[in-house]
Amino acid sequence: MKADVKTLDPALRARVEDFLTDYAHRLDDGRIDDWTGFFTQDTLYQITTRENFEAGYPIGILLCKGKGMMEDRVLALKTANVFEPHTHCHILGRPMLEALPGGEIGARSNFSVYRTMESGATELFAIGKYLDRIVLEAGEPRFKERRVILDSRCVDVLLVFPL
Amino acid sequence: MKADVKTLDPALRARVEDFLTDYAHRLDDGRIDDWTGFFTQDTLYQITTRENFEAGYPIGILLCKGKGMMEDRVLALKTANVFEPHTHCHILGRPMLEALPGGEIGARSNFSVYRTMESGATELFAIGKYLDRIVLEAGEPRFKERRVILDSRCVDVLLVFPL
Amino acid sequence: MKADVKTLDPALRARVEDFLTDYAHRLDDGRIDDWTGFFTQDTLYQITTRENFEAGYPIGILLCKGKGMMEDRVLALKTANVFEPHTHCHILGRPMLEALPGGEIGARSNFSVYRTMESGATELFAIGKYLDRIVLEAGEPRFKERRVILDSRCVDVLLVFPL
């Protein structure tokens, strides 16, 4: 088997890895206002199941085209919704990174997210992989595309925090 | 405490880390035909429990000596066995890597594997560590030895996917 | 969003990452005698809940000021306590590292710890983050401060192994 992934420059790899880690930590911290700052203006953000993704279904559980739709979602989370307080904790695997044409970076990383409710009980909330296309804007990594592909399908992801 | 692990060249470390990650992703994708390509011809692949490993028992749950035994196993998985469809998702910890005599690389990494059944329910399937001896063949990393040491012992690993 | 974390020299980053991984592996191996060797003489080691930490409560579940208190705890674990044998397995996320004034390194990393009892059953034992201040002593990384901040609060951490 020949490695079919083009190696990134080590300094760029480190910055992309920090970017992916920082994203997870900020969500863990409940800093929902920071969320859209990780994306480009014309981004695509999707949560779907592995089943739907492999079948080619375009929408899945959530599909945001552009940062505007994501900001609407943040507003809804902050104003309209009532849900039991909880915290997330992301454990990420090492990403496979690939230099794509046009200066983009392809990334795939496995994740597990644990949710702790007010009672203090913790459970596995979601598991799966991120499939990302990352670009540099003014030198900073941003998601041009982030697809959250869930292995687990017994998940109540409607109207809760992003992953 | 003195660090007792010889540091690898950073470029080689990155390649070995990609190799370990790629292995996990391909199994997660169900690409069972890719599995034996990660091993040398005279490889040793073992699944055992921590208990048996520490007691020095030579076999454990599964022992394949040489790629031929692994290929037989793949064939059995593809033809003879009936099992409920499921997917795996590996979350790996950072590996400790060590330069061994003769150009080999020793690796230890913790893993957790989650299994999702057709129902969509996800559960922790296995947890433990990989103990590896890795060599370079034509410049590409390959397992000369991969021992899967399970902490968890309530695991039905017979006749299912490799770890 | 501007990256607000100062990048470490890659070789130093690798050593710190190995240090954090080695800590986890030694605890997984039950090498309790190695534990205090990861800390400075005047260290601070704390286990607390996220709730207590964010509320600014100074103690939490466990607070050791100085290596002496930690050594007492090791002695207690080895002599006085009776508990069911079990093993831990840590899965760590990539740490965010930050160069602090005075040559210190700030680190934040998520962790999950699984516990396997003698029965062979494995369960999620703890999940949360490490917040660390690391210094170099004679060239080797040591914890000047390690705070274990638990998301999960249904944890019987009294008189058991450190995290």
Side-chain angles (χ1 to χ4, degrees):
Chain A
M1 186 177 323
K2 188 78 186 155
D4 51 8
V5 169
K6 272 164 238 144
T7 308
L8 249 64
D9 165 70
L12 181 55
R13 162 170 272 281
R15 285 174 59 209
V16 170
E17 289 203 68
D18 278 347
F19 172 72
L20 297 173
T21 307
D22 191 28
Y23 177 95
H25 287 179
R26 291 195 194 225
L27 290 186
D28 289 349
D29 287 346
R31 292 171 66 173
I32 185 68
D33 287 315
D34 294 350
W35 182 48
T36 62
F38 285 85
F39 294 83
T40 65
Q41 200 61 42
D42 65 340
T43 194
L44 185 149
Y45 175 79
Q46 183 185 29
I47 302 177
T48 189
T49 62
R50 180 170 169 159
E51 234 177 0
N52 283 353
F53 180 71
E54 290 176 357
Y57 296 140
I59 296 187
I61 295 166
L62 173 74
L63 183 66
C64 292
K65 290 185 174 181
K67 209 187 265 193
M69 281 183 71
M70 298 176 72
E71 282 159 357
D72 286 350
R73 190 171 164 82
V74 171
L75 200 64
L77 276 169
K78 292 172 71 175
T79 57
N81 301 134
V82 177
F83 51 83
E84 196 193 334
H86 61 270
T87 57
H88 281 176
C89 186
H90 291 66
I91 309 283
L92 307 180
R94 173 180 172 86
M96 288 298 276
L97 300 181
E98 188 179 6
L100 301 176
E104 287 188 13
I105 298 153
R108 170 181 177 168
S109 37
N110 284 358
F111 67 85
S112 58
V113 180
Y114 294 85
R115 181 170 65 170
T116 303
M117 308 307 287
E118 270 204 308
S119 68
T122 300
E123 54 176 14
L124 180 67
F125 176 61
I127 191 150
K129 60 177 172 272
Y130 292 117
L131 297 182
D132 304 317
R133 286 167 59 202
I134 295 165
V135 293
L136 296 179
E137 281 190 349
E140 297 295 327
R142 294 288 177 270
F143 293 117
K144 187 184 175 68
E145 197 176 292
R146 162 148 274 204
R147 296 184 196 271
V148 186
I149 316 289
L150 299 170
D151 263 42
S152 42
R153 295 191 307 280
C154 299
V155 168
D156 51 336
V157 287
L158 289 176
L159 298 175
V160 296
F161 253 56
L163 290 170
Chain B
M1 190 175 325
K2 189 78 186 154
D4 50 8
V5 170
K6 271 165 240 144
T7 308
L8 249 65
D9 164 70
L12 181 55
R13 162 170 272 281
R15 285 175 60 210
V16 169
E17 289 203 68
D18 279 348
F19 172 71
L20 297 173
T21 307
D22 191 28
Y23 177 95
H25 286 179
R26 292 195 194 222
L27 289 186
D28 290 349
D29 287 348
R31 293 171 67 174
I32 185 69
D33 286 316
D34 294 349
W35 182 48
T36 61
F38 285 85
F39 294 83
T40 64
Q41 200 61 41
D42 65 341
T43 194
L44 185 149
Y45 174 80
Q46 182 185 30
I47 303 178
T48 189
T49 62
R50 180 169 169 158
E51 234 176 0
N52 284 352
F53 180 71
E54 290 176 358
Y57 297 140
I59 295 187
I61 295 166
L62 173 73
L63 182 66
C64 292
K65 289 186 177 181
K67 211 188 264 193
M69 281 184 71
M70 299 176 71
E71 282 159 358
D72 285 350
R73 190 172 163 83
V74 170
L75 199 64
L77 276 169
K78 291 171 73 176
T79 57
N81 301 133
V82 177
F83 50 83
E84 197 193 333
H86 61 271
T87 58
H88 281 176
C89 185
H90 290 67
I91 308 283
L92 307 181
R94 173 181 174 84
M96 290 297 276
L97 300 181
E98 188 180 6
L100 300 176
E104 287 189 13
I105 299 154
R108 171 185 176 165
S109 36
N110 284 358
F111 67 85
S112 58
V113 179
Y114 294 85
R115 182 169 66 170
T116 302
M117 308 306 288
E118 270 204 307
S119 68
T122 300
E123 55 176 13
L124 181 67
F125 175 61
I127 191 150
K129 60 177 173 273
Y130 291 117
L131 296 183
D132 304 317
R133 286 168 59 203
I134 295 165
V135 293
L136 296 179
E137 281 190 349
E140 298 294 327
R142 293 290 178 269
F143 293 117
K144 187 183 174 69
E145 196 176 292
R146 163 148 273 204
R147 296 184 196 270
V148 187
I149 316 289
L150 299 170
D151 263 42
S152 42
R153 296 192 306 279
C154 298
V155 169
D156 50 339
V157 286
L158 289 176
L159 298 175
V160 296
F161 253 56
L163 291 170
Chain C
M1 186 176 326
K2 189 78 184 155
D4 51 9
V5 169
K6 271 165 239 141
T7 307
L8 248 65
D9 165 69
L12 181 54
R13 162 170 271 282
R15 284 174 60 210
V16 170
E17 289 202 68
D18 278 348
F19 172 72
L20 297 173
T21 307
D22 191 28
Y23 177 95
H25 287 178
R26 292 195 193 223
L27 289 187
D28 290 350
D29 287 347
R31 292 170 66 173
I32 185 67
D33 286 315
D34 294 349
W35 182 49
T36 62
F38 285 85
F39 295 83
T40 65
Q41 200 62 41
D42 65 339
T43 193
L44 186 148
Y45 175 79
Q46 183 185 28
I47 302 177
T48 188
T49 62
R50 179 169 171 159
E51 236 177 358
N52 283 353
F53 180 70
E54 290 176 358
Y57 296 139
I59 296 187
I61 295 166
L62 173 73
L63 183 65
C64 293
K65 290 186 175 180
K67 211 188 263 192
M69 283 184 70
M70 299 175 72
E71 282 159 358
D72 285 351
R73 190 171 165 83
V74 171
L75 199 63
L77 277 168
K78 291 172 70 176
T79 57
N81 300 137
V82 177
F83 50 82
E84 196 193 335
H86 61 271
T87 58
H88 281 176
C89 185
H90 290 68
I91 308 283
L92 307 181
R94 173 182 173 84
M96 290 297 275
L97 300 181
E98 189 180 4
L100 301 176
E104 287 188 15
I105 299 154
R108 171 185 177 165
S109 36
N110 285 357
F111 67 84
S112 57
V113 179
Y114 294 85
R115 182 170 64 169
T116 302
M117 307 308 287
E118 271 204 307
S119 68
T122 300
E123 54 176 14
L124 181 68
F125 176 62
I127 191 151
K129 60 176 174 272
Y130 291 116
L131 296 182
D132 304 318
R133 287 168 59 203
I134 295 164
V135 293
L136 296 179
E137 280 190 350
E140 298 295 327
R142 294 289 178 269
F143 294 116
K144 188 184 173 68
E145 196 177 292
R146 162 148 274 204
R147 296 184 196 270
V148 186
I149 316 289
L150 299 170
D151 263 42
S152 42
R153 295 191 306 280
C154 298
V155 169
D156 51 337
V157 286
L158 289 177
L159 299 174
V160 296
F161 253 55
L163 291 170

